Amino acid sequence: PVDFTFTTPELILNIIRPLIDANSLPALLSLSTISSTFLQTIRTSETFWKELCHQRWKEKWGFHRRWEEALKHYDVFNECQEARDSRVTFWRQRYFEQEQDATRQSISPRELHLLTFDFRFWIGQPTVVDERIVVKSGLLQSASKNIRFLNNEEEHQVVEEGNEDWFSYRGALTGHPCREPGIEWFMNESSIIQWGFRPNLWPKGEIRRTELWGWEIRNPNVVMRAIDPLPSSDDDDATEEGNDLNNNSDDRLWKDLIDSLENVPMRNAPEVNGYPVTAELPRSFFDFVHT
């Protein structure tokens, strides 16, 4: 279990800041004068930490499932006399566990299999703007919203030790825009992934976390982002305040990339009408291809 000891009121203020808006923040600066007894109360308050978890998670990818799972585990925690008698604050521990997990950059084959991805090309279709050829961003339109990395006994294999191939796991990929059967995926322990038709696979890609705690797969040609899983039940407490957040809307899932689009000259492209051919690409694309 993760254990944190609060030593300063400033740290408490940093943690509760997501719960307050700018207008109420000055009033809370008086926290510097509160007693150690109050700090201890905050530190061990299930109500406080549950609310903090909700406020922190509700705008993150995976909110519904994360909240549902936490509620179920809390019920189990309360049913255990030994847990109730311990000094563990369930929601406080859960908060820091999720913060730590959000930094994880590797994914297991089982977790990958459970996700469905929205697939988009970096480069879209060319258009004419003021006599200039501009290649529109492929990020503006989904090529497929049903990409799956199958992982079952028939379609997934763990590569045996001693195999000279670079990958550790393999399986079948479905939902690809080309709509041809037989596409396979291959992944190593570092979550480097590649897919296509053997032996001529498409370029290798990497799996990484987004700022919203979602999963992204990108290579020089395409980028995929995991679609936020829906709540398991509309009647569950998990939907109480999360229904107003359309975490799977295109604006939300792709906002950071679309907002950072830049019009840049394409390499090795001839000039047209005296102007270079340009393409709309996000800044992070250049950071990725240059690494």
Side-chain angles (χ1 to χ4, degrees), residues 1-173:
V2 180
D3 184 38
F4 289 80
T5 301
F6 302 131
T7 57
T8 66
E10 288 77 16
L11 182 54
I12 289 288
L13 180 59
N14 287 335
I15 292 174
I16 69 173
R17 186 170 280 111
L19 296 175
I20 56 181
D21 56 34
N23 294 328
S24 59
L25 181 58
L28 288 173
L29 294 178
S30 60
L31 279 175
S32 60
T33 62
I34 64 178
S35 68
S36 59
T37 302
F38 182 78
L39 290 178
Q40 179 64 16
T41 300
I42 290 294
R43 182 173 180 263
T44 58
S45 169
E46 291 286 14
T47 301
F48 171 83
W49 285 99
K50 180 180 180 181
E51 179 63 20
L52 186 61
C53 286
H54 191 279
Q55 294 293 332
R56 175 64 170 160
W57 300 345
K58 70 178 183 179
E59 294 185 358
K60 298 296 187 182
W61 182 95
F63 164 71
H64 294 298
R65 296 291 176 84
R66 185 177 294 110
W67 188 249
E68 287 177 345
E69 184 177 325
L71 290 173
K72 291 177 182 177
H73 287 184
Y74 183 59
D75 289 340
V76 174
F77 177 85
N78 277 334
E79 291 175 359
C80 177
Q81 183 65 42
E82 183 178 346
R84 292 200 307 270
D85 293 341
S86 70
R87 296 184 178 181
V88 174
T89 304
F90 173 87
W91 287 103
R92 174 174 171 268
Q93 179 171 302
R94 196 73 166 196
Y95 179 94
F96 287 110
E97 286 176 347
Q98 292 302 310
E99 290 292 317
Q100 183 175 341
D101 184 70
T103 66
R104 174 172 56 91
Q105 297 297 324
S106 62
I107 191 171
S108 68
R110 181 182 180 278
E111 189 176 6
L112 181 65
H113 164 67
L114 294 174
L115 299 175
T116 300
F117 287 84
D118 184 345
F119 179 110
R120 303 193 178 199
F121 292 97
W122 293 110
I123 300 294
Q125 297 298 318
T127 186
V128 179
V129 179
D130 297 330
E131 299 184 351
R132 302 169 183 253
I133 302 296
V134 177
V135 181
K136 303 297 288 185
S137 174
L139 298 173
L140 301 175
Q141 183 175 0
S142 175
S144 173
K145 292 187 176 182
N146 194 32
I147 296 290
R148 297 290 308 278
F149 294 83
L150 298 185
N151 173 20
N152 55 45
E153 294 182 359
E154 295 181 356
E155 295 168 309
H156 168 74
Q157 301 176 28
V158 177
V159 180
E160 295 181 359
E161 293 185 8
N163 193 299
E164 296 182 357
D165 288 325
W166 64 271
F167 54 88
S168 302
Y169 311 99
R170 61 186 296 184
L173 185 149

Side-chain angles (χ1 to χ4, degrees), residues 180-276:
E180 294 184 22
I183 299 178
E184 294 182 278
W185 62 267
F186 308 86
M187 184 176 73
N188 67 9
E189 299 289 351
S190 301
S191 292
I192 299 299
I193 192 166
Q194 192 170 17
W195 60 93
F197 303 95
R198 297 194 79 179
N200 301 314
L201 302 178
W202 290 303
K204 288 181 180 179
E206 65 178 15
I207 302 176
R208 58 190 292 273
R209 299 301 280 272
T210 67
E211 292 184 359
L212 292 179
W213 297 4
W215 288 103
E216 177 185 275
I217 300 174
R218 56 167 64 187
N219 73 10
N221 298 334
V222 306
V223 56
M224 298 180 249
R225 286 192 167 179
I227 296 173
D228 201 344
L230 295 174
S232 59
S233 171
D234 290 339
D235 297 328
D236 201 305
D237 290 341
T239 66
E240 195 171 287
E241 293 187 28
N243 285 330
D244 293 334
L245 297 167
N246 187 3
N247 290 351
N248 286 324
S249 69
D250 289 351
D251 289 343
R252 181 173 177 79
L253 194 60
W254 297 97
K255 177 177 173 55
D256 59 319
L257 292 180
I258 292 176
D259 285 353
S260 66
L261 289 176
E262 299 179 7
N263 219 0
V264 297
M266 296 190 68
R267 292 181 180 178
N268 303 319
E271 290 189 352
V272 178
N273 298 326
Y275 299 108

